[in-house]
Amino acid sequence: MVGRHEEVVPVVVVDLDGTLLRGNSFKLYVRCGACALLRKRRLGGFVRLLAATFLRKLSVITHNRYREICAALIGFESDATYKMAECAGMSEAVLHFVADRRKEGCQCLLATAALEDYTYAFWEGARVGSVLKDGRVLVDCRGEVKLRRVLEALGGRVPAYALSDDIEDEPLLRYVAEHGGRAVLVNPNKKTLRFFREFEPSKLFDVELLLD
């Protein structure tokens, strides 16, 4: 890798779904939310949640519209949100990596496409995510948008580490690697590995692996 070494700050940027969390936080949010609606006997809300899920599976509604409907029905301050943390499986490798970097003096930033409003269930501290306001997803924090929001959060400086499992985080991983930081691919599946290995030579950049 031939990169431009700009100001690199001791910050670890961590993705949520598939990286820190083994699985998908939104699916967990919907599942726990559905249980909460049943527990509170809000049967109308439960039926509307099932209907929205069915429509999403048929691709009748977009993912963002689905998120908007679910958020309106479940909310973010209910016991369902807190239940998510109890049900979540976390990556031990990522937890250890973050803990070790913190001992070295690094700060940590969660950067995720998940809705910011429920990420407090998994993460204490600074975070950027998809923004829901007035019932609408205004910022979908993925790809180039996530890169921009991370740089904004760090005042334009480069994080020392960026951890992700997701192909969509290629802009962030590439930027960090090409500007003096370390891009770390976490527990990648075959599709993700193939994606990074099949870059043209001119597009190759250093990506380290972190496995559980």
Side-chain angles (χ1 to χ4, degrees):
M1 175 191 67
V2 178
R4 294 173 291 168
H5 289 253
E6 300 179 0
E7 183 181 1
V8 177
V9 290
V11 173
V12 182
V13 175
V14 185
D15 177 46
L16 179 60
D17 294 349
T19 302
L20 177 64
L21 179 68
R22 289 180 169 180
N24 184 284
S25 63
F26 186 68
K27 289 181 180 179
L28 191 60
Y29 173 69
V30 173
R31 187 163 64 247
C32 290
C35 291
L37 290 172
L38 281 178
R39 192 163 54 249
K40 296 175 182 179
R41 298 184 180 180
R42 293 172 53 189
L43 298 183
F46 178 75
V47 171
R48 288 195 293 274
L49 186 65
L50 288 184
T53 301
F54 182 68
L55 291 175
R56 178 58 193 143
K57 287 184 179 296
L58 293 178
S59 299
V60 174
I61 60 176
T62 65
H63 179 59
N64 279 342
R65 181 59 188 144
Y66 180 45
R67 292 200 288 183
E68 292 164 357
I69 294 171
C70 292
L73 293 171
I74 299 169
F76 298 111
E77 299 299 331
S78 68
D79 56 348
T81 310
Y82 294 98
K83 190 70 174 177
M84 292 167 61
E86 299 176 15
C87 301
M90 311 295 275
S91 167
E92 291 297 325
V94 173
L95 290 174
H96 287 307
F97 185 96
V98 169
D100 289 343
R101 300 294 83 75
R102 278 180 166 152
K103 289 177 183 177
E104 296 170 359
C106 286
Q107 301 296 313
C108 296
L109 172 69
L110 185 73
T112 175
L115 295 174
E116 266 185 19
D117 298 86
Y118 68 62
T119 55
Y120 68 85
F122 309 103
W123 184 266
E124 293 183 4
R127 57 191 185 273
V128 295
S130 293
V131 177
L132 183 79
K133 186 175 182 180
D134 297 328
R136 298 295 179 187
V137 175
L138 298 184
V139 178
D140 196 6
C141 190
R142 65 184 76 241
E144 295 287 348
V145 175
K146 180 185 283 191
L147 170 60
R148 185 179 73 246
R149 295 203 68 206
V150 167
L151 294 178
E152 288 173 352
L154 300 181
R157 297 169 296 176
V158 182
Y161 305 92
L163 278 63
S164 179
D165 75 306
D166 200 337
I167 291 173
E168 289 192 346
D169 283 337
E170 182 268 334
L172 174 62
L173 295 175
R174 174 189 293 279
Y175 187 92
V176 170
E178 292 181 343
H179 291 76
R182 291 168 60 184
V184 183
L185 201 57
V186 178
N187 295 323
N189 57 30
K190 291 181 180 179
K191 178 182 178 181
T192 302
L193 276 177
R194 185 167 59 250
F195 174 82
F196 283 100
R197 286 173 175 168
E198 290 180 356
F199 270 119
E200 294 296 326
S202 62
K203 295 183 179 180
L204 283 171
F205 62 92
D206 292 341
V207 179
E208 302 178 19
L209 292 179
L210 181 65
L211 307 173
D212 275 314

